Amino acid sequence: MPFKKLHTIILNTLDDLGFHEPYNFQKNTLSKIKGGANVFGLAPKSSGKTTTLIISVVNKLKASAFEDSPRALIFVKDKKAALTLKEAFNVFTKHTDLRVYTAYDEQNIDTQKDEIYYGQDIVIATPKRLSKLYHINGIHLGELQLLCIEDAEFLAKNNLHAEIIRLSESIKKCQYLVFSDKYYPKFDKFRDSFMNNSEIIQL
């Protein structure tokens, strides 16, 4: 899919960054995501996965804040990954009113609960912390439109995928995106639960 079919704010940001043509991975993936498919996006580092994720989220949310409940949730490995991804999002949201928030274990959970309550559009979180927030009614997932996992290979080394599956059971209708360097056996559990009929796009 060419960039020209994206939101104007995204196009302007891409132009400022000097990106005029999508990478091969983005050509194959952006149109599927825009069409509403659940997607496993598999490609090596520096293939444009993170930019694809950010573009897809901002485009889905129409580059505009709305009410208080998060509409996009992105799972990451740890605090460093959360802060790095937020910085990348800031590049694409600086000319919007979208609110991007990070939630990780090193923060005070009561403070996180309050800050999320007052309104966030995009929450970038570690699975354990998000699970804790959910179980103390610290985050409302009823308006969620996108659930994404960035660099999902970290799930292949632990049982955090179980936390994500449990949370997905509380979500009524949502689009799911998983980005990883390759397909791991633990991803089968996602396909058996919330990512049935998903598409695998591999570079």
Side-chain angles (χ1 to χ4, degrees):
M1 184 183 85
F3 285 146
K4 65 183 179 181
K5 294 185 178 182
L6 298 169
H7 194 283
T8 302
I9 288 178
I10 298 173
L11 293 178
N12 291 339
T13 302
L14 288 168
D15 189 60
D16 290 343
L17 295 172
F19 290 109
H20 306 293
E21 294 292 333
Y23 290 140
N24 288 334
F25 176 77
Q26 294 167 337
K27 287 179 183 178
N28 297 330
T29 309
L30 284 171
S31 59
K32 297 289 185 182
I33 296 173
K34 192 171 184 287
N38 294 332
V39 169
F40 286 95
L42 311 176
K45 302 293 183 185
S46 302
S47 300
K49 294 197 300 295
T50 298
T51 306
T52 300
L53 184 153
I54 294 170
I55 288 173
S56 298
V57 171
V58 175
N59 200 66
K60 181 88 170 182
L61 303 188
K62 299 178 182 178
S64 181
F66 181 75
E67 297 185 348
D68 297 327
S69 297
R71 290 172 293 146
L73 172 61
I74 306 165
F75 286 112
V76 293
K77 179 181 179 180
D78 54 22
K79 172 183 176 180
K80 180 179 179 181
L83 295 176
T84 299
L85 185 57
K86 186 177 188 296
E87 284 186 14
F89 259 101
N90 288 343
V91 174
F92 283 85
T93 59
K94 63 184 178 181
H95 297 303
T96 76
D97 58 355
L98 285 170
R99 298 153 297 180
V100 184
Y101 187 76
T102 56
Y104 44 84
D105 296 338
E106 291 85 346
Q107 292 169 301
N108 180 282
I109 196 166
D110 291 323
T111 300
Q112 289 175 329
K113 181 178 178 180
D114 291 342
E115 291 174 342
I116 292 172
Y117 173 81
Y118 287 117
Q120 304 295 339
D121 298 292
I122 302 163
V123 174
I124 303 168
T126 56
K128 284 186 177 181
R129 178 43 56 106
L130 199 285
S131 181
K132 289 179 181 177
L133 281 164
Y134 181 76
H135 285 104
I136 63 168
N137 296 318
I139 186 168
H140 174 63
L141 301 181
E143 303 301 321
L144 209 62
Q145 297 179 25
L146 270 175
L147 188 152
C148 315
I149 307 174
E150 167 75 337
D151 290 335
E153 50 267 25
F154 76 90
L155 296 174
K157 302 174 183 178
N158 51 50
N159 291 317
L160 293 176
H161 66 285
E163 302 276 4
I164 297 172
I165 291 172
R166 280 194 291 270
L167 284 166
S168 72
E169 294 170 351
S170 304
I171 300 170
K172 294 179 180 179
K173 185 178 180 181
C174 189
Q175 183 179 8
Y176 297 92
L177 310 176
V178 176
F179 292 89
S180 180
D181 58 349
K182 63 180 183 180
Y183 192 93
Y184 291 89
K186 285 190 177 181
F187 295 170
D188 289 341
K189 297 183 184 298
F190 295 161
R191 302 196 81 180
D192 292 339
S193 55
F194 58 86
M195 289 193 71
N196 55 325
N197 300 320
S198 57
E199 298 193 38
I200 297 177
I201 301 174
Q202 188 164 12
L203 182 64

